Amino acid sequence: MAKQKIVGRIPLQQLWNEAGTLPHQRKRYLLPEEIKSLLDYNDTTPFVVANIGSPLYWIAANERFDFWKNNSRNLPDPNDEFYLDDYPGHYVFLASEWTDENGNIIMLFEKLH
């Protein structure tokens, strides 16, 4: 089994999976209501979680809504100042939309704690 690449810093500069680096680039940070809208609009958008010291965690398609439901209170407006102590568990996810040249979307959730 190949050694998995570990998240060393946030914000990420690139995305990867077991096959290697992906061609996606960060397009924009997302507001919580935008994530909900994308979930309603497109039920195939991959979700991936970045947590320093761990490999990227790709959320299975059938688990995306549960991830959203369980973590939606930990998604601040990325344009506003926020404090980790104000959020359950003292962590937040900064969500961003990444796209490739064909318009394929990946939603990245970078965990800050």
Side-chain angles (χ1 to χ4, degrees):
M1 182 173 151
K3 184 176 178 182
Q4 292 189 21
K5 186 174 178 179
I6 301 297
V7 175
R9 75 168 76 170
I10 290 176
L12 290 184
Q13 301 301 309
Q14 62 185 12
L15 297 177
W16 64 88
N17 61 20
E18 64 281 347
T21 303
L22 299 175
H24 294 71
Q25 299 290 319
R26 189 185 314 264
K27 182 177 176 184
R28 63 190 175 115
Y29 283 95
L30 297 167
L31 299 169
E33 54 271 12
E34 292 174 309
I35 299 165
K36 176 74 169 88
S37 176
L38 284 169
L39 267 172
D40 290 342
Y41 172 74
N42 184 343
D43 64 354
T44 61
T45 301
F47 279 21
V48 62
V49 175
N51 189 13
I52 292 177
S54 299
L56 289 180
Y57 176 68
W58 292 84
I59 298 172
N62 64 340
E63 297 174 359
R64 290 175 315 125
F65 184 76
D66 286 340
F67 174 82
W68 162 252
K69 188 171 72 174
N70 293 331
N71 293 289
S72 61
R73 296 184 320 155
N74 291 76
L75 292 161
D77 180 330
N79 302 309
D80 291 340
E81 187 173 309
F82 60 86
Y83 300 95
L84 297 178
D85 288 342
D86 293 340
Y87 290 86
H90 307 289
Y91 70 90
V92 296
F93 286 106
L94 291 182
S96 56
E97 177 182 340
W98 292 59
T99 58
D100 67 10
E101 63 276 357
N102 297 319
N104 297 310
I105 298 171
I106 295 174
M107 273 197 244
L108 173 66
F109 297 85
E110 293 170 293
K111 189 173 186 178
L112 305 176
H113 49 95

